[in-house]
């Protein structure tokens, strides 16, 4: 690997004006770089700490021997230096009580409730989420705690929880937001629930804190097998409740994954994601514009874009070569099966390409999106000339599954 560099001359370790030097002196035999990292980790994760961490990350790549010394220290036992700066920026760098580190650890929780598995048995956890269901069996109270990862069973029994905690659990209403502290334990064989991802474990809670009390919801979020949904108008009126359902959350998470797959695919092929204005001038398009009155210029209006057509062509004129944008578009037209007032489109423009280049790119992108969704599709799509489609089907986008030729 790399030969360790000689000590840096200048301010010696132990200087009264150097907190890093003091840290080095308190740990004899530790390299200056290791001591510097340890001292930074003892600071609050502010801007200075982030800058110090970036310095350490850069230096780590140049000095592999000292990197291994850092990994040997107790603070870095499960974190690589490359992810450390992100941990400082994005979440708490303090470990949970049991010593494990997760991406979703914060100052209020050790991780997500729905992510607990049998391997977590014995861990002390602090969880936050919504009360999905509640069952009071007299001597023991069960709460199903829900978050974005799923549902886990939490129990409050006289053998491990205080009377105050049991009373609070019995009184809490469904859809209340709570914080729970406890220990993950394996369920007995007869009480395991194979229909739940967390069905092998439960959390024996010792403390409960209600941070967001809730009244009985207008529409239930938890549904049993075969139980019908509430009427659509009622669900749309109380959308904040409807969006808590696992099915709708899965849809939005899938949409996020597809957008990220789109960005990766196009970025790998040299496309630049560039934004264009929303408040703009009217341009000739296929529908009417939505207008926004200007406060600064009375009597004048902005138009919301039906597409970024003019702007993406300007990018090509300016030499940006390849552009894409996951763009919001607005069109004032009558509603149809494939029309609505606002929608999102993958907008692409490229220079020095032909029709075959565009079709090949579209085939690759659509294939990548469907693979991300778990569906395999052919690498190439059947192609049909416009004249053939109109002559045989009377439509420029025929559905070939039915074979309804003229």
């Amino acid at each position: 690997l790399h030969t360790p560099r000689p000590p840096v001359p200048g301010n010696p370790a132990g200087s009264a004006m150097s907190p890093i030097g003091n840290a080095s002196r308190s740990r004899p035999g530790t390299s200056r770089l290791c001591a510097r990292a340890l001292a930074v980790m003892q600071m609050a994760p502010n801007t200075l700490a982030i800058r110090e961490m970036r310095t350490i990350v850069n230096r780590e790549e140049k000095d592999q021997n000292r990197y291994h010394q850092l990994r040997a220290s107790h603070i870095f036992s499960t974190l690589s230096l490359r992810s450390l700066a992100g941990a400082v920026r994005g979440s708490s760098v303090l470990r949970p009580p049991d010593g494990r580190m997760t991406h979703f650890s914060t100052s209020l929780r050790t991780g997500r409730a729905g992510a607990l598995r049998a391997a977590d048995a014995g861990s002390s956890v602090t969880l936050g989420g919504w009360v999905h269901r509640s069952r009071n069996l007299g001597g023991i109270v069960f709460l199903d705690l829900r978050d974005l990862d799923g549902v886990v069973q939490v129990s409050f029994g006289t053998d491990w929880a205080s009377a105050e905690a049991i009373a609070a659990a019995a009184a809490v209403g469904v859809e209340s937001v709570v914080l729970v502290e406890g220990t993950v334990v394996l369920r007995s064989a007869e009480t395991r629930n194979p229909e739940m991802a967390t069905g092998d474990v439960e959390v024996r809670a010792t403390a409960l804190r209600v941070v967001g009390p809730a009244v009985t919801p207008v529409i239930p979020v938890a549904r049993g097998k075969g139980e019908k949904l509430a009427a659509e108008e009622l669900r749309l009126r109380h959308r904040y409740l409807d969006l808590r359902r696992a099915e709708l959350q899965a849809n939005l998470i899938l949409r996020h994954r597809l957008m990220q797959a789109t960005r990766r695919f196009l970025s790998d092929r040299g496309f630049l994601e560039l934004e264009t204005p929303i408040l703009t001038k009217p341009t000739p398009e296929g529908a009417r514009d939505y207008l926004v009155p200007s406060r600064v210029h009375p009597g004048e209006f902005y138009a919301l874009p039906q597409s970024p057509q003019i702007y993406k062509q300007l990018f090509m004129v300016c030499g940006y070569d390849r552009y894409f944008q996951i763009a919001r578009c607005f069109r004032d037209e009558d509603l149809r099966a494939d029309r609505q007032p606002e929608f999102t489109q993958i907008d692409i423009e490229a220079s020095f390409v032909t029709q075959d280049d565009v079709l090949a790119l579209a085939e690759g992108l659509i294939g990548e999106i469907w693979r991300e969704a778990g569906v395999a599709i052919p690498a190439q799509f059947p192609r049909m000339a416009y004249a053939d489609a109109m002559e045989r089907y009377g439509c420029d986008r025929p559905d070939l599954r039915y074979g309804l030729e003229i």
Side-chain angles (χ1 to χ4, degrees):
L1 300 175
H2 296 283
T3 303
R5 291 172 296 186
V8 178
N11 190 17
S15 169
M17 298 300 292
S18 172
I20 304 300
N22 292 336
S24 179
R25 182 177 59 180
S26 65
R27 292 171 176 81
T30 306
S31 70
R32 289 176 59 85
L33 177 60
C34 182
R36 186 178 183 83
L38 294 175
V40 169
M41 288 303 297
Q42 294 168 355
M43 301 163 60
N46 53 21
T47 304
L48 174 61
I50 293 172
R51 286 203 303 267
E52 294 284 351
M53 273 304 159
R54 287 174 178 166
T55 302
I56 294 171
V57 171
N58 293 334
R59 195 172 296 179
E60 174 268 327
E61 294 176 350
K62 301 177 182 177
D63 195 333
Q64 198 72 11
N65 291 334
R66 295 183 181 180
Y67 163 68
H68 286 297
Q69 290 179 355
L70 284 171
R71 286 186 61 86
S73 70
H74 67 283
I75 288 183
F76 298 106
S77 60
T78 59
L79 278 179
S80 71
L81 284 176
R82 289 186 177 88
S83 64
L84 189 54
V88 172
R89 290 192 300 269
S91 63
S92 172
V93 295
L94 300 178
R95 292 185 182 280
D98 61 350
R100 295 185 305 110
M101 174 67 74
T102 71
H103 291 297
F104 301 106
S105 298
T106 69
S107 57
L108 292 179
R109 69 179 184 187
T110 56
R112 286 181 176 174
L116 295 176
R117 298 294 185 268
D120 297 300
S123 303
S124 297
V125 295
T126 301
L127 305 174
W130 287 257
V131 177
H132 195 60
R133 293 187 181 90
S134 176
R135 302 181 298 282
N136 189 346
L137 304 183
I140 187 170
V141 177
F142 292 100
L143 301 180
D144 288 346
L145 188 67
R146 184 188 73 245
D147 61 16
L148 192 61
D149 277 348
V151 177
V152 69
Q153 178 173 284
V154 181
S155 60
F156 295 80
T158 54
D159 293 339
W160 58 86
S162 65
E164 292 80 5
I166 296 175
V172 70
V174 294
E175 295 306 311
S176 294
V177 181
V178 298
L179 291 172
V180 173
E181 296 180 15
T183 304
V184 182
V185 299
L186 290 173
R187 295 199 205 185
S188 60
E190 61 273 11
T191 61
R192 292 179 182 174
N193 187 349
E195 296 183 359
M196 293 174 59
T198 61
D200 292 335
V201 298
E202 72 174 15
V203 177
R204 290 189 174 177
T206 56
L208 171 72
R209 194 176 98 185
V210 179
V211 295
V215 297
T216 302
V218 178
I219 57 176
V221 177
R223 289 186 299 126
K225 284 187 177 180
E227 187 176 345
K228 294 183 178 180
L229 288 170
E232 185 177 22
E233 290 185 1
L234 191 61
R235 287 187 284 119
L236 290 174
R237 183 177 302 166
H238 302 278
R239 192 65 166 168
Y240 67 97
L241 293 173
D242 196 36
L243 285 175
R244 297 180 187 180
R245 291 193 292 120
E247 299 91 337
L248 294 187
Q249 290 181 343
N251 291 344
L252 292 179
I253 292 172
L254 175 60
R255 185 180 189 274
H256 161 76
R257 288 170 45 205
L258 299 184
M259 293 175 71
Q260 298 308 308
T262 299
R263 288 186 165 99
R264 286 194 301 269
F265 180 89
L266 293 174
S267 296
D268 290 344
R269 285 152 182 81
F271 284 82
L272 304 176
E273 184 174 10
L274 305 174
E275 291 186 343
T276 54
I278 292 296
L279 296 177
T280 183
K281 292 179 62 177
T283 58
E285 300 280 353
R288 296 180 179 89
D289 291 316
Y290 282 107
L291 300 180
V292 179
S294 170
R295 178 188 62 82
V296 179
H297 304 285
E300 298 187 13
F301 299 80
Y302 296 103
L304 300 183
Q306 297 186 38
S307 74
Q309 187 67 37
I310 300 298
Y311 294 108
K312 67 181 181 181
Q313 291 173 351
L314 284 175
F315 283 136
M316 297 302 102
V317 172
C318 296
Y320 285 87
D321 195 68
R322 295 185 174 192
Y323 143 93
F324 84 96
Q325 182 181 185
I326 300 177
R328 296 295 289 174
C329 302
F330 308 86
R331 296 183 179 179
D332 185 4
E333 57 185 346
D334 296 336
L335 294 177
R336 286 179 281 170
D338 58 351
R339 294 287 187 272
Q340 57 186 16
E342 59 176 301
F343 57 92
T344 303
Q345 70 181 27
I346 303 174
D347 199 58
I348 298 174
E349 191 72 34
S351 297
F352 306 107
V353 294
T354 65
Q355 174 178 288
D356 288 338
D357 297 318
V358 175
L359 292 176
L361 177 72
E363 288 173 341
L365 175 58
I366 294 172
E368 180 69 18
I369 290 174
W370 280 99
R371 280 191 294 273
E372 180 67 27
V375 179
I377 64 174
Q380 290 187 334
F381 304 156
R383 298 184 183 181
M384 182 182 300
Y386 174 79
D388 292 340
M390 295 302 295
E391 182 178 352
R392 294 170 56 188
Y393 299 97
C395 175
D396 62 354
R397 55 185 189 283
D399 192 334
L400 300 182
R401 294 175 297 174
Y402 303 109
L404 298 178
E405 296 191 37
I406 296 176

